[in-house]
Amino acid sequence: MSENVLDGASAPDRVARIQAEWRRERPELDVSPQGVFGRLARLAAAIDVELERVFAQHGLTAGEFDVLAALRRAGDPYERTPSALADSTMVTAGGLTKRVDRLEAAGLVTRRRSPDDGRGRVVALTDAGLALVERAFEAHLANEHRLLEPLDAGDRAALERLLRSWLTWLRPET
């Protein structure tokens, strides 16, 4: 780990205090997993707050940004069918409809008939949606870089490798 991360890492935190209480009350149990899961949960919550702050600066929620970003990643003409959009986001089909409704009302996306299938629909970025997602994505990446600053390049690579491996084991379909 980098020196910045280790500064203060040995000081007891809330998770360590909870573990100590359980060790006192149930010394026969190995509570070491709480050290990982408790900190992951706290870290995820803290990261969500930091990410949402940047999205809010652009008038978006994380879910709305996810939809706009998926459309942008589709490449020109920046459109996808609703099912392809659901597959390329972290949003359920029901949640996707609500987000697309809001984004359409804001003039950031349009819905129209698919040119390939008259019965099907496509969701597409408007010029305003494209401009917004470009700005929001740049700010999002800058924020992610800021959040990773305490880790040196080796720690970042190691953390990414560990998380990918663990996630693949837990959810092979991801």
Side-chain angles (χ1 to χ4, degrees), residues 80-99:
R80 293 184 189 235
T81 64
S83 62
L85 194 52
D87 287 344
S88 62
T89 64
M90 308 281 265
V91 182
T92 65
L96 179 64
T97 299
K98 292 175 188 174
R99 285 178 179 90

Side-chain angles (χ1 to χ4, degrees), residues 79-83 111-123:
E79 63 185 29
R80 293 184 189 235
T81 64
S83 62
R111 287 185 181 115
R112 60 180 174 72
R113 291 198 186 280
S114 170
D116 302 327
D117 174 6
R119 295 171 297 159
R121 301 293 236 178
V122 294
V123 178

